[in-house]
Each structure stands twice: as structure tokens, then as C-alpha cells.
């Protein structure tokens, strides 16, 4: 049996390679970058993904790097008051079977990569940007930017937000730019002055802004993320999301929240994107996975988790069907759940960034919540 080709060696592509290899398939990962890697910031992992990581045999290794917050706290950025919390320890273990954790992206990606390297059936290649492909009977011929060619039994496009494979399968052009700009920074704990909520994952929401803080690497460093919804972007102006707009937008925040901006680097920012959910992301022996299939805004913190869930479901379907059928069965199972993440993330973003009456309504609703329940995301955390 020919090997399965996977375009992209991010979290999604590597998880797919591992899941397929664990089902006895030979896999070749073609990664465009010169090295496998991830950016140096944190990522949140809900209980839904822990079950998947356990099935992939990597949960324990990843948890060894993780930080387990005692609660997810939501605070109002305008006055720094706590509005609500979700107690993610005992309650999560009892209801969902797993805790909520946060982890450095490089530790997460690195452990999945290490597990792939331990699988004889996985070949890992870098500097192999997939340029195009052709389906020929029972094979897919993939051509890389450097001219290399590979023949595989199937192709999984896990090549991210600007997926080349997606353009051949769906052809819907560039992703939607949301105009939300993100600044990040990781600093040692001894540089963090105010630590009263340091054992939690805290999110401060405010008009067109929010700030997130949580610890990483066994609690030794603090991950800081500041996001603004850019007015300049809405007006079509230049310099949307630039550092001075970050500062301007946070001018309304409580001084303590504004102070946290010193922990984020101004050297680089990320603009958020997503896409409208689609009803078909497979064509014959080619399918998509992760951000290539259903990129989402960050407001449920689930993009990578959806990619990992995709990987597990994909491998299960491939184990029991031929490729074209397996890919249709896979996308059928994943379509509504991932669409719900994409669409709910937009709504969560609006609620988080509310002002005026909408802010009052949000805060009243949230204050009445029971910290030992989370009906808003129960469907998500119960998992698959
Ligand atoms: C600010 C922010 C915060 C986030 N927080 C969270 C969070 O807390 N929890 C969570 O689950 N998710 C979070 N996400 C989402 C998460 O980062 C992504 O959904 C996830 O990384 C997608 O993984 P992927 O493997 O599908 O794509 P990518 O990580 O984009 O990987 C794609 C890979 O393909 C390679 N590639 C690209 N083109 C080609 C090509 N032509 N040929 C071969 N290789 C190619 C790239 O080099 C890359 O290695 C966040 C996103 C943002 C922006």
C-alpha cells in the first residue's frame, strides 16, 4: 500500500501523521519550512482535546510541560473586577474526565513531533512546500515548489490558513481578515509584579480589547496576550493594529490592565482570520484538516484542538473505508462541530469586546453563573 502524504507539519499535520501511523498506515509529512517548529507562545487545551491526546499516546508527555490553572477567570477590563469564573479542576475531572491545561506551543508540537519520530511508518521532510497535485486513478501525485514529486495513496492538506491544497479542492481564495490584532509576550514570573490571579487563566474583556494571562512551563513564565478590534481596520486606514493603536484602545482600560501591556512585545503582531464554514472539503483522495479546513477566531481557544480532533477522526475513518469514502465520512463527522466552533467564536468575541448596555447585560448574566457549570461550552468540552 502506498503511503499517505500530509502537506504541513504543524500541530494538525503531525497529529494526523501520528493518528494514521497508529492505525498501521505509512505516512510522509511534507513541510514547507526549513525546520519543524511552532511560535514561542502559549496555547490552551480543553478537556475535549486531552482525550484525543491520550488516544495518540502523548498526553502524559505533554502534561509534563503543562500548567494547570485552578480556574478560568473572566474580569471586566474597565474596572478590573472579577465577573465570573469556571472552576476547572475537580469539576472538570468529574464532568469531563480531564483537567484544563495550558502549554507552550513548542512543548505541544515538540512532543507530537517526537512521537512521530518514534513511529517507523512516518517519514518527515522539511523544505517541501506543496505546490500542486494531480489525482490519477488510485494515486495522488504531489509536486513540491523545489520540483520534487511524490506519489501517495491520498493527500491530507494540513497546510494552514493559506492552504494551497484548499485552493485546489475548494478554490475560495484568501481567508476573511477579521481586523483583530494580537500582541504576545512570555516573561519570567519574577518580572510579574501583580500575582493575585497567577494560579488562574485570566481574561479581561473590554470595549474592542482584551487581555489574557496564564502561566506556562510548570508555572515558571507568564504568557501575555493583548488583542484589539481595530477601528482603523474598519475604516480602511493604514497602520491598522499598529502599536500606537494598541495603546490608544487600551487607554480606557483599568490602570492595572493597561500596565499588563508592558509584558507584550511590539515587534510583531498577528491579525486574526477565519472563513465561512463550508459543506465539502474533500475531493476524491484529497482532504483538508485543521486551519486548512476550518480556520477560526481565537475566542474559544479551539483551533488547534479541532485540528487534533480532526486527526483522530480521520484516521478512524481511513482504517475502515476506502479513501474517497473515508474522507467524506470524516468531513461529515467534523463539519457541524467545527462550524459551531467558527461561528460561536465570532459571537464570543463580540461578547468579550462589548461596551455600554451590552457590557452591562454580559456582566449581569456572567455574575449569575455557577462556577461549577459551563453550559455555554458543555457541548465543546464533552468532546467526541
Ligand atoms: C492568537 C491566537 C491564539 C490561539 N489560541 C489557541 C488556543 O488557545 N487553543 C487552540 O486550540 N488553538 C488556538 N489558536 C489556533 C491554533 O493556533 C491553530 O488553529 C492551529 O495552530 C492550526 O494548526 P494547523 O496545523 O492546522 O495549521 P498551522 O499551525 O498553520 O500549520 C500549517 C503548517 O503547514 C506548513 N505549510 C504551509 N503551506 C505549506 C505548503 N504549501 N506545503 C507544505 N507545508 C505547508 C506551515 O509551515 C505549517 O508548519 C490560536 C490562534 C491564534 C492566532
Amino acid at each position: 500500500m502506498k503511503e499517505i502524504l500530509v502537506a504541513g507539519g504543524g500541530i494538525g499535520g503531525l497529529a494526523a501523521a501520528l493518528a494514521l501511523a497508529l492505525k498501521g498506515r505509512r505516512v510522509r509529512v511534507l513541510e514547507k519550512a526549513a525546520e519543524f517548529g511552532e511560535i514561542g507562545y502559549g496555547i490552551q487545551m480543553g478537556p475535549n482535546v486531552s482525550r484525543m491526546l491520550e488516544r495518540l499516546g502523548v498526553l502524559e508527555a505533554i502534561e509534563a510541560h503543562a500548567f494547570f490553572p485552578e480556574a478560568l477567570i473572566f474580569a471586566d477590563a474597565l474596572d478590573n473586577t472579577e465577573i465570573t469564573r469556571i472552576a476547572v479542576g475537580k469539576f472538570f475531572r468529574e464532568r469531563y474526565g480531564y483537567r484544563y491545561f495550558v502549554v507552550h506551543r513548542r512543548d505541544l508540537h515538540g512532543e507530537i513531533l517526537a512521537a512521530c519520530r518514534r513511529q517507523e511508518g512516518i517519514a518527515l521532510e522539511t523544505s517541501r512546500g506543496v505546490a500542486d497535485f494531480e489525482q490519477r486513478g488510485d494515486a495522488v501525485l504531489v509536486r513540491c515548489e523545489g520540483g520534487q514529486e511524490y506519489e501517495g495513496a491520498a493527500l491530507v492538506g494540513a497546510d494552514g490558513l493559506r492552504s494551497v491544497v484548499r485552493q485546489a479542492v475548494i478554490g475560495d481564495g484568501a481567508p476573511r481578515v477579521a481586523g483583530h490584532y494580537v500582541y504576545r509576550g512570555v516573561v519570567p514570573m519574577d518580572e510579574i509584579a501583580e500575582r493575585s490571579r497567577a494560579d488562574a487563566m485570566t481574561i479581561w474583556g473590554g470595549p474592542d480589547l482584551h487581555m489574557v494571562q496564564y502561566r506556562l512551563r510548570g508555572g515558571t513564565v507568564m504568557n501575555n496576550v493583548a488583542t484589539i478590534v481595530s477601528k482603523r481596520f474598519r475604516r480602511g486606514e493604514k497602520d491598522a493594529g499598529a502599536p500606537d493603536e494598541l495603546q490608544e484602545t487600551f487607554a480606557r482600560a483599568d490602570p492595572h490592565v493597561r500596565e499588563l501591556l508592558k509584558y507584550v512585545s511590539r515587534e510583531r503582531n498577528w491579525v486574526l482570520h477565519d472563513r465561512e464554514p463550508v459543506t465539502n472539503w474533500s475531493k476524491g483522495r484529497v482532504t483538508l484538516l485543521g486551519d486548512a479546513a476550518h480556520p477560526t477566531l481565537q475566542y474559544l481557544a479551539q483551533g488547534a484542538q479541532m485540528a487534533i480532533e480532526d486527526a483522530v477522526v480521520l484516521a478512524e475513518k481511513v482504517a475502515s473505508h476506502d479513501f474517497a469514502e473515508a474522507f467524506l465520512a470524516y468531513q461529515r463527522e467534523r463539519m457541524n462541530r467545527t462550524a459551531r466552533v467558527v461561528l460561536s467564536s465570532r459571537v464570543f468575541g463580540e461578547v468579550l469586546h462589548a461596551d455600554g448596555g451590552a457590557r452591562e447585560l454580559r456582566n449581569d448574566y456572567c455574575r449569575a453563573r455557577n462556577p461549577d457549570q459551563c453550559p455555554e461550552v458543555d457541548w465543546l468540552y464533552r468532546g467526541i
Side-chain angles (χ1 to χ4, degrees), residues 6-14 30-33 35-38 42-45 100 105 109 128-131 145 158-165 182 184 214 225 227 270-272 289-292 295-298 300-307:
V6 175
I11 292 165
L14 292 182
L30 303 171
E31 164 57 46
K32 182 182 174 103
E35 280 177 31
F36 288 98
E38 253 290 349
I43 193 160
Q44 303 177 48
M45 298 274 106
Y100 197 97
R105 282 170 177 266
H109 183 270
R128 293 289 182 274
V130 169
E145 290 157 359
D159 48 343
L161 189 62
R162 293 189 174 72
S163 166
V164 166
V165 180
V182 178
R184 311 194 231 215
Y214 54 80
V225 186
T227 302
W270 288 260
V271 64
L272 300 183
L289 179 146
D291 276 9
T296 179
L297 302 182
Q298 70 195 26
L300 281 176
Q302 280 282 336
Q305 302 184 60
M306 287 300 110

Side-chain angles (χ1 to χ4, degrees), residues 299-332:
Y299 301 115
L300 281 176
Q302 280 282 336
Q305 302 184 60
M306 287 300 110
I308 295 167
E309 285 189 1
D310 283 352
V312 171
V313 175
L314 177 84
E316 266 167 20
K317 302 299 178 195
V318 164
S320 53
H321 296 78
D322 74 33
F323 283 108
E325 266 180 35
F327 289 169
L328 291 176
Y330 148 72
Q331 80 180 20
R332 211 164 25 244

